[in-house]
C-alpha cells in the first residue's frame, strides 16, 4: 500500500471497496489505531485515531470474529459494555434484532458461521461507539439477513449519527449505504477514486432503482473490473 | 604371582581419616600379603553399606554398630553380623564454645541451656540426662542439621556433634581473622556421650552370615590385615598419615589427619582390645546397645549379643604398649 | 438430530459401566502391577523393595505414626503449592509485561532453582529453622518455575484478534489480564497445576526429610534408619495416592474451567 | 508502508544497543544482586552463605577438580533430559490415543514419581550400581511427567477444523501426529523443555550427590564433608550458569520452531 | 434439523441455500462423514459418506479456513497432496489461477481474509477429489474474484466431472452453477424444495439473462424470503 491520506468527516458514512488483498483491512487497522502508518495520515473527524481510541469512541467489527471462546453470546456482548463502562445498546435487544434470541446462551463454537458473525457485530457496537469501523461485517450472511441488518444499521445511524468506515465486497451495498465510496486498486493498493453519493441517507431499498444508484454502481464496477461489463 | 582374591568394602561415607586403618592396610600391602585385593566402595546419602552388603554387592561393610543392630532386628531383617570394630565408642558429644582454660563441662551444665540436636537424636540426650539424674525437662532442645553453624552463630548453647568431625570446623573458624564474635578466640568443650551415656561401637566391620559361613578364611585374612593396618597407624602415625594422605580419592590432607589421629586413636582402643586384640568388640556393650534401642522403640526385640556380633575372626594383634 | 450429531460423547450404557469399573479398578491394578513387575524384574531382596503385601499391612495395621505425621506434610504441601502458584503467576505477569525485567529476574530465578537442595536446606534451617515456613519456601522454590514458564506461554497464546478488540476498547491492562489473558492461559496453567500439584506432596516429604522432625519426611527418615523398608514404602504409597487424588481433582477442575476442552473434538 | 506497519518489532538503534547490553549485563547483575541481597537480608555468616567473591575465586583458581567432574554430570543430564522427553512424549501419545491406558498408566506414573528419591536411589544403587544408567533413570523419572502433561495438553489444543481436514483426507494417525498434532503442541512442548531442560543439571547433581562417586554431585558431597561452603556454591553457580545457557538455547529454539510466536502480537 | 434423506447422484452439482443457522454446514458435515446422522441417510453416488472418505475421494472446503498456521501457502496446498498421495492439480498452477502467485510463500497470518479463503480452497481440492463439498467458499471474495473462481470451477468440472455439494448464500451463484438447488427453511431446518436446473452445464455469464435463470432465482428467493420482492 503506498502513501495514503484518509480523513473522514464527522458523521460521514464511508464505504471502502476493492479487490481482495488490496489493503482494506490494513487501512481499517490504521484508522483503528491498531497499526501506525509509516507515511501518510489518518483522521476521524478532526481527531487522530489514537485520540478517538483513548476516548473509547471506537467500535471495530473485525473480519475474523473477535469473540471470547468461553463466553456465551449474550455475555460476550455484555463484556464490551462492562469493559467500556458504557451500557450503550441493550444486549438482549441487539441479539433479538439480529435474529439470535433463541441462541443468546450458546458458546461461539456452537454457533453457525453466520450466527457468529452477527454476535461479533453485536459485541462490536454494544457500547454504542461514535466511530464504527466495519470489515466485511455481513460476508457470511444470506441476502435477507444482510438486507435486514443493513436497514437496521441505517435506522440506528438515523437515530444516533456516527462516523462510519465500512469495508465490503458488495458494490450495491456500498452505494446503498454510504455518503462516499472509496475505490481501491489492486497492487499497489491505493485509493483510485473517491465517489460521493449525493442522495441523502437513510435510503430505502427503493434507491436501487434510482438513476444515481445505477450510475454509481456501474461507475464503481467499471473502476474495479476495468472495461468489463458489470453484472449483478 | 598368585592371583589375588577380590574383596569389596562398602563404606558408610566418603573415604576419610575415619577409616585410615583400612587405607593403611591397603597401602602397606597387608591385604595383598593375605592374598586379597581390596576395593573401597564409597558411601553417601543414597548408598548405605548395610543393604549393599546384605544384597551381596560388597563382601564387607563399615558402619555404626547401631546400623548393624537395627538392620539385623528389622521386621525384614538384613543378614549382617558385626565382626569387629575400628572405633570402640561413638564419638557423639554435646559441644559448646568455651575459653581454652575452662574445665570440661558435665551433663549438669546442660540445665537451663538450649541443645541443638538432630531430629533422631532426642532419645540420646534424654537417656544421658536420666543416667545422670537430671530432669530432661530442664534442658531445652532445638532441631538442627548436622553442621555446627547454629552453635557458631549463637542460636544454641550446645550442639550434638562428633568429636572427630564438627569440632574441626569450630577450630578452623575460630582461627579466622573475620570469625564471628561468638567463636573468636574460643575453643570447643564437650560432654562425650560415651563417658556419661553408653559406649557404642562405631566404625564396625560387618559381613553377611553367608560370607562368614562360606568363606571363613577370607574373613579371617581380611581381619588380620585390617588389624595390622590399625597397629601400624597407631605405632607409626606420621608415616601412616603420609600413606593416607596419598590414598586415591581420600578427602583429608595431612594436617587434618594429624588432628584427627590425636582425637580418634584413643577412641579406637580400650582394655578389651589390649587384652584380646585390635578390633575386638565387647558383647556386653552390644547387649546394652540393643536394650537402649529397644527402649527407644527403634527395635522391637532383643537377641543374644552373639546373634549380632562375633569375635571369632579376630586375629589377636595387639598394640606394642 | 442436531443434538446427537454435535454430541460425540454419547456413550452406550455398557461402555459407561466399563468406564466406571475402570476408574475404580485401574489405579490399584496399575500401581501394584508395576510394583510386582519391578520386584520380579530387579530381583532385589525385600529389605530393598518390600512386597506390596507387607506395605499394605503397615498402612492398615501400623498407620498411627504415619497418620499423625500426615497433617504437617499436607499443610506444607498445600501452602507451598499455593505460594508456588502465586509467585509463578506473578513472575509470569511481570516478565511478560515488562520485557527487560525478564532478563533481570530470569537468571536469578534459575540460579535459585539450581542451588543444590542440601545447601538450600542448610541456609533455610539456619535462617528460619525447622518451621512450616522453611518447608513452604522449599516447595515454592521447587514449584514456581513450571507455573511461571507455562503461564508465560499461556499469556502469549492469546488470539491477537481479541487483543485488538481490547485495544480498540481501551480496556485496562488489569482487566485484560484477568478477563482475557488468564482465561486464555488456562490450558497452560492447568497443565502446570498437574505438574506442580501432584509433585508437591513428594517435595514436601523431601524437604522434611532434610530439615524437619515432623511430617512424612521424618517418618521416612526414621523408618530408613530402622531398616523399615515396608514403612518407607507405605509412606511412598500414601503420598502417591494423595498425589493421584490431587491429580484427579486438578483434572476435574480443568474440565470445569477449561474452555479449550469445550471446543475440543472427542475422538 | 505495509512492511513497517506489520513489523511491530522495528527498534530504534539506541534501543538495540541497550537490549544487547542488557542481555550481557543483566544475568550477572541479577544473580549477584540477589545473592548479596540474600546475604544482607538473612544476616548469616559466610561459612553458611559464602560471599560471591570467595566463590568466584574458587571457580577461577581452583576449578580443576570441578571441571574434571563436570563432564559426567553433563553427560547424565543430557541423556536423562533426552530420555525424559522420549518417555514423556511417548506416554502422552499413548494416553491420548488409547484413553483407557490413561487410567492404567497414570497411577503408576504418579506413584513412580512419588517414590522418595532416597528410596529410589537405594533401589537403583543396588539394582544398577554407581553407573551412568542410574543417574539417567533418576533424571527420567524426575523429568518425564512435565513433558507428558504438557504434551497431552498440546495434543488436545489442535484446531478441530484442521483435524476435520485430516479426517476427510483419511490421513494416517501417524502422519497426523507428526505433521499436525506435534507442531500444534510445540508451544506446550517447548514450555516443558524450559521446565525440564533447565532443571536437568541440578537433578543430575542431586542424583550424583546420593549415589555416585563422580560428577558435580560428588564434588558437593566432598566439599560439604570438608566444610568447603565456597566450593559447594561454586558448583551451584556453575550449575546455574549452565542451566541458564540451556534455558536460553531452548528459548532460541522455541523462537525458531514455534509457529505461535509468529502469529503473536508484540506489544 | 429434522430427519433428512439426501442422495446426490454421481457427477451432480447440488447447491444448498438457506438462511444462516438453518443447518447447511451440519448437512455438509454429514456428507463428509465428520458427524453421524441420528436419523435419515446420506448417499453420494451410491456410496455412504464413510466409504467415499476411506477411498480418499472427498474434498472439503470448510467455512472457516483449515490451513496449518506454520505452513506457507504453497506448502499447505502441497500438504494435501502429500497426505493423500495424489498429486492431483499442480499447487503452483492452482495458486496462480487464484491470483496468489505473488503470495505463495506467505504464512496464513500474513494473508488477507480473501487470500486465506483462496488458499483454503486450493488446499481442499489439490488432490483432485471426485466429491467436492464446499461451504461458502467465496464469501470473503470480491465480485470479480468470485466470478472468476466460479468460471474456473466450471471449467475444471467440465474436464474432470465431480460430484459437488455447494453451500452458498448467493442465489444467483447457486442457479448459475448447479444441476439441483436444495432450499432449506429456517428452524426447523429441513429441505423445503429440490429444484432442478435443466440448462446443461457449463454455463457462461450469459445464462444470467436466460429465462430459466430469472425464473429459478425468483422461485428460490420466493421460497427463502417469503412473499417479499426479490432484489439483486
Ligand atoms: N499481518 C500481516 N503481516 C504482513 N503482511 C500482511 C499482514 N496482513 C496482511 N498483509 C498483507 O497486506 C496486504 C493487504 O492485506 P489486507 O488484509 O489489508 O487486504 P484486504 O484488502 O483486507 O483483503 P481481503 O478483502 O481479502 O480481506 C496483503 O498483501 C497481505 O498479504
Ligand atoms: N458444534 C455444534 N454443537 C452444537 N450445536 C451446533 C454446533 N454447530 C452448529 N450448531 C447449531 O446447529 C444449527 C445449524 O448450524 P449450521 O452451522 O449447520 O448452520 P448453517 O446453515 O451452516 O449456518 P451459516 O450459514 O450461518 O453458516 C445452529 O442452530 C447452530 O447453533
Ligand atoms: Mg480484509
Ligand atoms: Mg455454515
Amino acid at each position: 500500500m503506498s502513501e495514503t491520506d484518509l480523513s473522514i468527516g464527522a458523521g460521514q458514512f464511508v464505504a471502502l471497496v476493492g479487490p481482495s488483498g488490496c489493503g482494506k483491512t490494513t487501512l481499517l487497522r490504521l484508522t483503528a489505531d491498531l497499526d501506525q502508518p509509516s507515511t501518510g495520515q489518518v483522521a476521524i473527524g478532526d481527531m487522530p485515531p489514537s485520540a478517538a481510541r483513548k476516548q473509547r469512541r471506537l467500535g471495530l467489527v473485525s473480519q475474523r470474529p473477535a469473540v471470547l471462546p468461553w463466553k456465551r453470546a449474550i455475555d460476550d456482548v455484555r463484556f464490551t459494555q462492562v469493559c467500556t463502562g458504557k451500557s450503550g445498546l441493550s444486549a438482549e435487544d441487539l441479539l433479538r434484532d439480529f435474529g439470535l434470541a433463541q441462541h443468546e446462551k450458546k458458546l461461539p463454537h456452537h454457533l453457525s458461521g453466520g450466527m457468529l458473525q452477527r454476535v461479533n457485530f453485536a459485541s462490536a457496537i454494544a457500547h454504542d461507539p461514535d466511530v464504527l469501523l466495519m470489515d466485511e461485517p455481513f460476508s457470511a450472511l444470506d441476502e435477507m439477513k444482510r438486507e435486514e441488518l443493513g436497514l437496521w444499521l441505517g435506522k440506528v445511524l438515523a437515530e444516533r449519527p456516527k462516523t462510519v468506515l465500512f469495508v465490503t465486497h458488495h458494490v450495491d451495498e456500498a452505494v446503498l449505504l454510504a455518503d462516499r465510496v472509496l475505490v481501491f486498486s489492486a497492487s499497489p493498493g491505493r485509493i483510485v477514486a473517491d465517489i460521493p453519493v449525493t442522495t441523502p441517507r437513510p435510503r430505502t431499498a427503493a434507491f436501487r432503482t434510482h438513476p444515481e444508484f445505477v450510475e454509481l454502481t456501474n461507475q464503481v464496477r467499471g473502476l474495479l473490473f476495468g472495461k468489463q461489463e458489470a453484472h449483478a | 604371582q598368585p592371583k589375588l582374591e577380590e574383596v569389596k568394602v562398602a563404606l558408610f561415607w566418603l573415604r576419610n581419616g575415619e577409616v585410615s586403618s583400612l587405607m593403611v592396610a591397603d597401602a602397606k600391602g597387608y591385604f595383598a600379603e593375605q592374598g586379597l585385593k581390596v576395593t573401597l566402595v564409597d558411601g553417601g546419602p543414597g548408598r548405605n553399606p548395610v543393604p549393599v552388603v546384605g544384597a551381596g554387592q560388597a563382601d564387607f561393610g563399615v558402619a555404626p554398630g547401631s546400623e548393624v543392630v537395627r538392620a539385623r532386628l528389622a521386621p525384614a531383617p538384613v543378614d549382617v553380623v558385626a565382626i569387629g570394630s575400628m572405633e570402640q565408642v561413638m564419638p557423639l558429644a554435646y559441644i559448646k564454645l568455651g575459653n581454652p582454660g575452662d574445665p570440661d563441662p558435665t551433663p549438669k551444665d546442660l540445665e537451663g541451656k538450649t541443645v541443638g540436636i538432630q531430629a533422631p537424636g532426642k532419645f540420646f540426650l534424654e537417656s544421658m540426662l536420666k543416667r545422670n539424674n537430671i530432669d530432661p525437662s530442664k534442658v531445652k532442645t532445638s532441631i538442627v542439621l548436622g553442621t555446627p553453624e547454629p552453635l557458631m552463630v549463637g542460636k544454641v548453647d550446645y550442639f550434638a556433634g562428633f568429636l572427630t568431625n564438627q569440632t574441626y570446623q569450630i577450630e578452623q573458624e575460630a582461627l579466622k581473622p573475620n570469625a564471628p564474635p561468638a567463636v573468636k578466640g574460643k575453643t570447643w568443650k564437650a560432654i562425650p556421650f560415651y563417658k556419661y551415656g553408653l559406649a557404642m561401637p562405631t566404625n564396625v566391620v560387618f559381613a553377611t552370615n553367608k560370607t562368614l559361613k562360606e568363606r571363613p578364611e577370607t574373613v579371617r585374612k581380611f581381619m588380620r590385615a585390617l588389624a595390622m593396618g590399625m597397629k601400624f597407624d597407631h605405632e607409626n602415625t606420621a608415616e601412616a598419615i603420609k600413606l593416607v594422605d596419598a590414598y586415591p580419592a581420600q578427602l583429608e590432607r595431612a594436617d587434618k589427619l594429624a588432628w584427627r589421629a590425636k582425637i580418634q586413636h584413643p577412641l579406637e582402643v580400650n582394655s578389651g582390645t589390649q587384652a584380646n586384640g585390635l578390633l575386638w568388640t565387647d558383647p556386653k556393650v552390644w547387649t546394652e546397645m540393643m536394650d537402649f534401642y529397644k527402649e527407644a522403640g527403634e527395635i522391637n526385640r532383643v537377641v543374644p549379643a552373639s546373634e549380632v556380633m562375633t569375635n571369632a575372626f579376630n586375629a589377636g594383634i595387639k598394640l606394642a604398649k | 438430530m442436531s443434538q446427537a450429531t454435535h454430541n460425540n460423547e454419547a456413550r452406550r450404557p455398557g461402555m459407561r459401566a466399563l468406564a466406571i469399573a475402570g476408574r475404580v479398578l485401574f489405579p490399584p491394578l496399575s500401581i501394584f502391577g508395576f510394583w510386582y513387575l519391578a520386584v520380579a524384574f530387579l530381583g532385589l531382596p525385600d529389605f530393598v523393595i518390600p512386597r506390596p503385601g507387607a506395605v499394605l499391612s503397615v498402612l492398615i495395621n501400623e498407620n498411627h505414626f504415619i497418620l499423625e505425621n500426615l497433617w504437617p506434610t499436607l499443610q506444607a504441601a498445600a501452602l507451598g503449592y499455593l505460594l508456588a502458584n502465586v509467585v509463578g503467576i506473578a513472575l509470569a505477569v511481570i516478565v511478560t509485561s515488562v520485557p527487560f525485567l525478564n532478563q533481570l529476574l530470569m537468571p536469578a530465578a534459575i540460579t535459585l532453582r539450581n542451588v543444590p537442595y542440601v545447601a538450600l536446606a542448610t541456609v533455610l534451617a539456619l535462617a528460619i529453622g525447622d518451621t512450616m515456613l522453611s518447608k513452604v519456601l522449599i516447595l515454592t522454590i521447587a514449584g514456581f518455575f513450571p507455573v511461571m514458564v507455562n503461564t508465560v506461554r499461556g499469556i502469549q497464546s492469546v488470539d491477537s484478534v481479541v487483543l485488538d478488540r481490547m485495544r480498540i476498547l481501551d480496556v485496562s491492562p488489569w482487566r485484560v489480564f484477568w478477563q482475557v489473558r488468564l482465561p486464555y492461559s488456562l490450558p497452560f496453567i492447568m497443565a502446570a497445576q498437574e505438574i506442580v500439584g501432584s509433585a508437591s506432596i513428594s517435595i514436601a516429604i523431601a524437604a522434611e526429610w532434610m530439615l524437619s522432625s515432623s511430617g512424612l519426611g521424618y517418618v521416612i527418615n526414621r523408618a530408613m534408619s530402622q531398616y523399615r523398608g515396608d514403612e518407607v514404602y507405605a509412606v511412598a504409597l500414601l503420598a502417591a495416592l494423595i498425589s493421584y487424588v490431587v491429580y484427579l481433582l486438578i483434572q476435574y477442575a480443568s474440565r470445569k474451567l477449561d474452555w479449550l476442552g469445550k471446543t475440543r473434538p472427542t475422538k
Side-chain angles (χ1 to χ4, degrees), chain A residues 29 32-34 53-54 56 58 60 64-71 76 79-80 82-84 107 109 123 127, chain C residues 6 159-172 175 179-184 257 259 262-264:
Chain A
R29 289 178 62 84
D33 193 31
L34 291 175
R53 183 175 73 76
K54 294 260 165 60
R56 295 185 174 174
L58 298 183
L60 173 72
R64 183 158 66 84
V67 299
L68 294 164
W70 57 87
K71 283 215 191 285
D76 198 278
F79 186 54
T80 297
V82 173
C83 284
T84 51
L107 287 168
H109 53 279
S123 289
H127 60 307
Chain C
H6 295 121
D159 192 344
S160 65
V161 100
V162 171
L163 288 182
D164 287 345
R165 175 177 169 192
M166 295 299 108
R167 187 171 150 87
I168 282 291
L169 301 178
D170 196 37
V171 182
S172 74
R175 189 192 291 277
Q179 307 233 25
V180 177
R181 291 191 188 273
L182 198 67
Y184 256 109
L257 288 174
W259 55 272
K262 289 168 196 151
T263 66
R264 188 182 302 158

Side-chain angles (χ1 to χ4, degrees), chain C residues 94-186:
Chain C
I94 292 171
V95 147
T96 48
S97 32
V98 192
F100 93 94
L101 283 183
N102 193 350
Q103 280 155 22
L104 203 57
L105 291 175
M106 223 46 189
I110 289 178
T111 307
L112 191 61
R113 210 182 153 223
N114 279 287
V115 177
Y117 284 122
V118 264
L120 194 66
T122 311
V123 170
L124 285 178
L126 282 175
I128 310 176
D130 171 13
T131 60
M132 186 55 75
L133 186 59
S134 305
K135 300 189 210 173
V136 169
L137 283 181
I138 287 191
L139 271 154
T140 308
I141 290 171
F144 81 95
F145 198 76
V147 175
M148 180 184 78
V149 165
N150 265 22
T151 308
V152 165
R153 295 274 168 169
I155 287 177
Q156 291 171 338
S157 76
V158 182
D159 192 344
S160 65
V161 100
V162 171
L163 288 182
D164 287 345
R165 175 177 169 192
M166 295 299 108
R167 187 171 150 87
I168 282 291
L169 301 178
D170 196 37
V171 182
S172 74
W174 191 242
R175 189 192 291 277
V176 173
F177 175 72
W178 282 107
Q179 307 233 25
V180 177
R181 291 191 188 273
L182 198 67
Y184 256 109
S185 311
L186 266 185

